[in-house]
Amino acid sequence: MSYPARFDRGHTDDLMTFLAASPTPYHAVANASERLEKAGFRQVAETDAWDGTSGGKFVLRGGAIIAWYVPEGAGPHTPFRIVGAHTDSPNLRVKPQPDTGAHGWRQVAVEIYGGPLLNSWLDRDLGLAGRLALRDGSTRLVTIDRPLLRVPQLAVHLDRSVSTEGLKLDKQRHLQPVWGLGDTHEGDLITFLEEESGLQAGEITGWDLMTHSVEPPAYLGRDNELLAGPRMDNLLSVHAGTAALVAVATAAGTGSELPYIPVLAAFDHEENGSQSDTGADGPLLGGVLERSVFARGGTYEDRARSFAGTVCLSSDTGHAVHPNYAERHDPTHHPRANGGPILKVNVNNRYATDGAGRAVFAAACERAGVDFQSFVSNNSMPCGTTIGPITAARHGIKTIDIGVAILSMHSVRELCGADDPFLLAKALVAFLEG
């Protein structure tokens, strides 16, 4: 088995494990927090008083996590270095009254979350996972990681127009998965989940459930130079940010000096606008950073000084040049797989990068020994956006948009270069170290 010279199989193997174990944002933050705890970080509750001690800490709220490491000697006005990402991905999510069906088929009623490539969800073996709210006020994660549901496509014999006019899907009628045969009974799905989770009947009173493909991540290509897997947008960045924060904190614990306080901020709900209490457009990040300043004896003046010197890398996936649709890309900007992380630029502020921000990222990549590429949209195509402009505008923090170039963004299964996750993590370490 041949691997490219720069390929760090250990990092990418670990990413594959992380992707497979994180079918929902709630699982992603649970897995990230477990890695942080092993590195000596401790969870702090938002309802408790915080102290100003040094070391690693993190806050969990739903599908979001904010983690930071306070080095010895950090003052109340010490700036932050933030890696921002998001935990959510487009998918099919279970409705409040999930039990439905027709003509002898039992189905689960789902709602479309974000902007998935709908055709990629057809004829896939799907599992079910998410968060259960119990009668006693507690919550529990649930994972059914086996073929449970399927959205069957209509046979070509019953829709000859698909060959000439293309596939047309109605989001309400054509995306409801089947999960068995027989009559539909209210409460069937939740009863099934109670049995699978070892709960008593009637214990589940609320749920946030979503489907996922049970096909595991895999290397692809003649030399395994590609990686195919689910939810790379944007768990690839969450994983890289967690690994980078752990690496920087571990080095600091052995005497390495840090001029900044390194932070990982992984938000939920980016795919539908970030406007929630766990989204980038909510108060979570600002509240955590301010409380950290005040816990170290700081004043509002210290908070202002700290924020003025803070920089955030908003890390999200971007578009690699597509060999079959090259005309959809800017003709002079063709990011390639395994070409290193991408710097995302849009002068209309769909991305937050400016010239000064480019210099910050270029310096981090130079220190890391990592090449980077530039991405800009074709002028004739609308440009997507990220948490970057939201973070910059909401907190007055200099923000730079970066990421990894992938194909099939928003598909149930995306594709990237197998080198790029490791190269991104190396650049993030250099950035957090300052």
Side-chain angles (χ1 to χ4, degrees):
M1 190 174 291
S2 173
Y3 291 93
R6 290 186 304 169
F7 181 57
D8 186 300
R9 184 167 60 176
H11 180 89
T12 307
D13 285 349
D14 191 60
L15 169 61
M16 294 166 71
T17 299
F18 186 82
L19 292 172
S22 305
T24 77
Y26 313 110
H27 290 76
V29 299
N31 290 320
S33 64
E34 181 179 355
R35 291 160 183 254
L36 291 166
E37 286 180 333
K38 288 181 179 178
F41 285 68
R42 62 183 176 90
Q43 183 177 355
V44 294
E46 293 184 82
T47 53
D48 291 344
W50 292 5
D51 59 52
T53 58
S54 59
K57 304 169 187 178
F58 65 90
V59 165
L60 293 180
R61 184 192 289 183
I65 182 170
I66 311 292
W68 66 103
Y69 182 85
V70 180
E72 292 285 350
H77 58 272
T78 299
F80 299 93
R81 279 280 173 115
I82 304 168
V83 172
H86 67 87
T87 61
D88 59 319
S89 301
N91 57 16
L92 311 179
R93 302 201 172 189
V94 176
K95 289 183 175 180
Q97 297 180 8
D99 300 294
T100 187
H103 307 290
W105 294 96
R106 298 170 70 186
Q107 294 175 275
V108 173
V110 296
E111 188 173 3
I112 311 301
Y113 177 82
L117 287 173
L118 296 179
N119 62 291
S120 73
W121 288 85
L122 301 178
D123 298 328
R124 294 272 186 179
D125 295 337
L126 304 177
L128 193 64
R131 179 178 63 174
L132 303 175
L134 307 184
R135 189 172 297 279
D136 63 5
S138 65
T139 60
R140 177 182 296 193
L141 298 183
V142 62
T143 308
I144 312 297
D145 198 30
R146 61 178 174 82
L148 181 68
L149 308 105
R150 187 179 180 91
V151 182
Q153 188 170 186
L154 184 65
V156 66
H157 313 80
L158 302 178
D159 184 13
R160 297 290 183 180
S161 66
V162 72
S163 299
T164 55
E165 300 177 16
L167 181 65
K168 298 178 182 179
L169 295 172
D170 183 285
K171 293 180 180 180
Q172 178 63 36
R173 293 186 296 128
H174 300 153
L175 272 297
Q176 307 306 311
V178 300
W179 75 305
L181 299 172
D183 296 330
T184 299
H185 300 286
E186 184 177 352
D188 274 356
L189 181 65
I190 301 307
T191 297
F192 166 76
L193 292 172
E194 287 171 336
E195 293 170 352
E196 289 282 320
S197 303
L199 297 169
Q200 298 296 314
E203 280 195 72
I204 297 175
T205 55
W207 53 87
D208 300 286
L209 298 168
M210 54 203 77
T211 60
H212 66 278
S213 171
V214 299
E215 184 180 4
Y219 291 113
L220 185 145
R222 188 193 68 176
D223 296 317
N224 291 320
E225 67 267 48
L226 300 171
L227 174 65
R231 300 175 295 280
M232 289 194 214
D233 179 13
N234 185 32
L235 294 188
L236 188 157
S237 295
V238 175
H239 174 265
T242 303
L245 180 59
V246 166
V248 170
T250 301
T254 59
S256 176
E257 293 187 5
L258 287 176
Y260 304 99
I261 296 172
V263 179
L264 169 68
F267 302 99
D268 200 354
H269 301 131
E270 189 272 349
E271 297 293 355
N272 63 5
S274 295
Q275 292 184 322
S276 71
D277 67 329
T278 54
D281 204 18
L284 180 58
L285 176 61
V288 168
L289 299 184
E290 288 179 347
R291 291 185 68 177
S292 176
V293 169
F294 298 150
R296 284 176 278 121
T299 63
Y300 184 82
E301 181 71 12
D302 292 311
R303 180 262 188 212
R305 293 175 64 189
S306 173
F307 277 41
T310 292
V311 182
C312 174
L313 286 187
S314 165
S315 182
D316 204 346
T317 53
H319 303 293
V321 60
H322 197 302
N324 299 336
Y325 301 91
E327 73 281 0
R328 301 296 183 98
H329 299 264
D330 183 85
T332 60
H333 294 78
H334 282 176
R336 296 174 180 269
N338 288 335
I342 55 173
L343 180 76
K344 301 159 79 170
V345 178
N346 179 263
V347 295
N348 293 300
N349 275 0
R350 300 292 285 172
Y351 302 131
T353 308
D354 61 10
R358 184 188 192 281
V360 171
F361 185 60
C365 289
E366 183 177 359
R367 287 194 301 273
V370 169
D371 294 331
F372 74 92
Q373 311 175 81
S374 294
F375 171 83
V376 64
S377 289
N378 185 309
N379 285 331
S380 299
M381 305 290 294
C383 180
T385 190
T386 68
I387 64 167
I390 294 171
T391 302
R394 183 170 183 84
H395 306 294
I397 290 173
K398 174 170 284 299
T399 304
I400 305 115
D401 273 296
I402 66 161
V404 162
I406 70 171
L407 293 182
S408 305
M409 186 183 294
H410 286 198
S411 171
V412 75
R413 196 165 178 85
E414 296 160 324
L415 184 70
C416 76
D419 286 356
D420 284 330
F422 174 62
L423 298 176
L424 173 65
K426 284 188 68 178
L428 296 183
V429 168
F431 167 75
L432 291 177
E433 287 177 338

